[in-house]
């Protein structure tokens, strides 16, 4: 994959994707038991969720002001499209990378989520359907 080292891929796979639902959280991990996300999906009456961030496009660190502006653009798009979402955090397994702000979007088809992520300069999204483990899905930016 273009732009991906084994270390970067491992970082994506080991990150915790955390939906922030008020005082409650629900965490998705790649190919792990998805019980917390399943409960959140059931509570929201949704079949699937995707985690998307606008921070650090192409996995290159940028300044906080750039990340804040990119996140605002993401939420503006979601509001304009009237999509159902809640805040999320992408929490890396190591301290080598910062926690990133993102969103958990309900019932947005993976294809549409990939297009959104690609527009934001992102390599991947995380998708999880009811009763299924979370999966890392790559945009065309990552694939070449």
């Amino acid at each position: 994959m273009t732009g991906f080292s084994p270390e970067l891929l491992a970082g994506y796979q080991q990150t915790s994707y955390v939906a922030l639902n008020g005082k409650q959280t629900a965490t998705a991990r790649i190919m792990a038991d998805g019980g917390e996300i399943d409960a959140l999906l059931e509570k929201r009456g949704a079949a699937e969720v995707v985690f998307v961030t606008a921070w650090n496009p192409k996995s290159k660190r940028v300044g906080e002001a750039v990340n804040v502006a990119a996140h605002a653009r993401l939420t503006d798009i979601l509001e304009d499209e009237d999509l159902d979402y809640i805040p999320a955090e992408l929490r890396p397994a190591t301290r080598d990378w910062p926690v990133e702000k993102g969103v958990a979007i309900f019932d947005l088809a993976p294809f549409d989520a990939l297009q959104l992520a690609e527009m934001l300069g992102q390599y991947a999204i995380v998708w999880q359907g009811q009763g299924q483990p979370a999966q890392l899905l790559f945009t065309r930016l990552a694939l070449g």
Side-chain angles (χ1 to χ4, degrees), residues 37-88:
I37 296 294
D38 284 346
L40 176 61
L41 290 171
E42 187 172 320
K43 182 182 263 189
R44 293 194 74 96
E48 61 190 348
V49 65
V50 291
F51 290 85
V52 177
T53 185
W55 278 42
N56 301 312
K58 295 184 180 176
S59 294
K60 304 277 190 253
R61 289 187 195 196
V62 299
E64 183 157 351
V66 173
N67 282 329
V68 168
H71 185 77
R73 179 176 177 223
L74 169 58
T75 58
D76 285 347
I77 291 167
L78 299 176
E79 292 293 328
D80 288 347
E81 296 294 323
D82 198 30
L83 294 171
D84 182 18
Y85 73 96
I86 58 176

Side-chain angles (χ1 to χ4, degrees), residues 85-139:
Y85 73 96
I86 58 176
E89 290 183 349
L90 288 63
R91 299 177 182 169
T94 69
R95 297 194 201 294
D96 296 343
W97 194 258
V99 172
E100 294 185 359
K101 289 186 180 183
V103 293
I105 310 167
F106 299 95
D107 289 334
L108 179 63
F111 177 80
D112 294 328
L114 285 165
Q115 286 188 312
L116 173 62
E118 189 172 301
M119 183 175 62
L120 298 166
Q122 299 298 313
Y123 282 148
I125 63 168
V126 170
W127 172 89
Q128 185 172 332
Q130 184 74 35
Q132 299 180 41
Q135 298 176 35
L136 187 61
L137 305 178
F138 297 98
T139 69

